[in-house]
């Protein structure tokens, strides 16, 4: 007699996380609105640190100072990654934390494509139009370049 066990591949959800309260709100939204306890979803917490400011205004010929700055930034990155893993552990959600490199928006879209994700969840800092125009916005980039649906979570209380 054939075994009629039907296994369902979990839907992968990339959750863009930067360690901020805004990304925490995005994770909370995922847990409240998408996550189920039957392993239907596999969340992937994606963190892409930005190191650009190390080489901008910090430009110096003092290699020891540069090395120390890079070491401190790597410690901060590791602390964020550990915090994201703790977020998963404390919530009881089984998922993965992935460290990305490069431009955050592009890296998030590429991860979603590489992982064959079903959607992306991201927070937004709610910058005004002028600030978004000048600085750019990761959530705006993801909205315009992702090949899957994107949920942008705003904090209604701000």
């Amino acid at each position: 007699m054939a075994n009629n066990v039907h296994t369902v591949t979990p839907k992968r959800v990339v959750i863009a996380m930067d360690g901020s309260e805004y990304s925490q709100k995005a994770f909370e939204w995922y847990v409240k609105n998408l996550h189920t306890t039957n392993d239907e979803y596999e969340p992937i917490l994606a963190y892409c640190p930005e190191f650009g400011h190390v080489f901008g205004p910090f430009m110096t010929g003092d290699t020891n100072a540069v090395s120390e700055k890079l070491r401190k930034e790597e410690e901060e990155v590791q602390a964020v990654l550990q915090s994201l893993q703790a977020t998963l552990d404390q919530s009881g959600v089984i998922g993965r934390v992935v460290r990305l490199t490069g431009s955050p928006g592009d890296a998030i879209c590429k991860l979603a494509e590489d992982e064959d994700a079903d959607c992306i969840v991201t927070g937004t800092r709610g910058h005004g139009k002028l600030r978004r125009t000048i600085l750019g916005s990761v959530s705006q980039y993801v909205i315009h370049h992702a090949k899957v649906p994107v949920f942008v979570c705003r904090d209604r209380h701000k």
Side-chain angles (χ1 to χ4, degrees):
M1 181 176 241
N3 187 349
N4 289 339
V5 175
H6 181 72
T7 58
V8 176
T9 303
K11 295 176 182 170
R12 292 191 178 108
V13 178
V14 171
I15 306 172
M17 303 287 288
D18 64 4
S20 72
E21 67 179 287
Y22 304 97
S23 66
Q24 183 62 35
K25 295 286 184 190
F27 178 77
E28 291 168 5
W29 183 90
Y30 161 78
V31 170
K32 182 179 179 184
N33 294 284
L34 290 179
H35 186 70
T36 62
T37 56
N38 63 1
D39 297 329
E40 184 179 352
Y41 292 95
E42 177 190 353
I44 304 167
L45 277 58
Y47 175 56
C48 188
E50 295 183 81
F51 294 108
H53 61 281
V54 171
F55 299 105
F58 192 72
M59 194 62 103
T60 179
D62 183 352
T63 57
N64 289 334
V66 172
S67 293
E68 181 62 18
K69 179 74 171 166
L70 290 172
R71 185 189 64 73
K72 285 182 180 178
E73 287 207 353
E74 183 58 28
E75 284 178 2
E76 291 172 15
V77 167
Q78 291 304 316
V80 171
L81 291 169
Q82 289 173 1
S83 173
L84 296 178
Q85 186 60 55
T87 295
L88 282 173
D89 295 344
Q90 292 167 3
S91 68
V93 172
I94 297 172
R96 295 183 281 146
V97 175
V98 176
R99 178 181 181 167
L100 304 175
T101 59
S103 169
D106 186 53
I108 290 163
C109 291
K110 183 172 180 350
L111 175 68
E113 193 171 330
D114 292 348
E115 291 283 347
D116 196 25
D118 293 278
C119 66
I120 299 170
V121 176
T122 184
T124 182
R125 290 194 170 126
H127 293 313
K129 187 175 184 177
L130 178 61
R131 186 161 177 167
R132 271 195 320 269
T133 301
I134 294 169
L135 296 177
S137 164
V138 173
S139 58
Q140 286 290 326
Y141 183 94
V142 171
I143 289 167
H144 293 292
H145 294 90
K147 296 178 180 174
V148 295
V150 178
F151 296 94
V152 179
C153 304
R154 297 187 72 139
D155 186 354
R156 290 190 241 186
H157 304 291
K158 296 222 177 201

